[in-house]
Amino acid sequence: EVQLVESGGGLVQPGGSLTLSCAASGFNFGVVDMSWVRQAPGKGLEWVSSINWRDYNTYYAEAVKGRFTISRDNAKNTLYLQLNSLKTEDTAIYSCAQALPSIDMERWPRGQGTQVTVSS
């Protein structure tokens, strides 16, 4: 059974930083492309970032490019997202997901998420 458990969210002031982690189990993490997605209150699911398993290439939504950094540690079965220069519009529930190319993002297996709130 695929399990994805996020941690590291919290309340932070604008301009602050957070590091999110996602502990993966139940599948061969090292050969699966992974992503972070987020959902703000009253809005739909938004793709944030992805990282390939083969070459560790990374991809970012324009809204977070230059501020967020995705990484993975295959030895620890863990995915990370470093969030810097946070803005109020980054407030959302952040979830890690298996980035399966054969299905729509909304159907990607993902965890319950961790809340990130950016507010002064």
Side-chain angles (χ1 to χ4, degrees):
E1 178 187 1
V2 171
Q3 288 199 330
L4 299 165
V5 180
E6 301 89 345
S7 61
L11 173 64
V12 62
Q13 292 186 340
S17 297
L18 284 173
T19 302
L20 307 184
S21 299
C22 170
S25 61
F27 65 101
N28 192 346
F29 178 81
V31 295
V32 176
D33 296 339
M34 296 295 296
S35 291
W36 287 95
V37 297
R38 67 185 181 184
Q39 188 159 22
K43 295 188 177 181
L45 194 65
E46 178 187 17
W47 171 75
V48 175
S49 181
S50 294
I51 183 167
N52 289 354
W53 69 268
R54 186 183 298 275
D55 51 22
Y56 284 46
N57 279 350
T58 58
Y59 307 89
Y60 298 93
E62 284 299 320
V64 307
K65 195 174 293 185
R67 300 187 297 120
F68 292 7
T69 303
I70 190 171
S71 62
R72 64 191 297 162
D73 185 335
N74 288 346
K76 296 183 178 179
N77 285 357
T78 302
L79 181 72
Y80 302 97
L81 187 67
Q82 177 67 41
L83 294 72
N84 295 329
S85 303
L86 282 161
K87 305 175 181 180
T88 55
E89 53 262 44
D90 293 319
T91 295
I93 296 173
Y94 285 72
S95 302
C96 63
Q98 293 181 320
L100 304 180
S102 58
I103 60 176
D104 294 337
M105 178 185 68
E106 289 76 8
R107 295 175 56 202
W108 287 350
R110 62 182 187 265
Q112 292 294 315
T114 186
Q115 177 71 50
V116 172
T117 302
V118 185
S119 175
S120 56

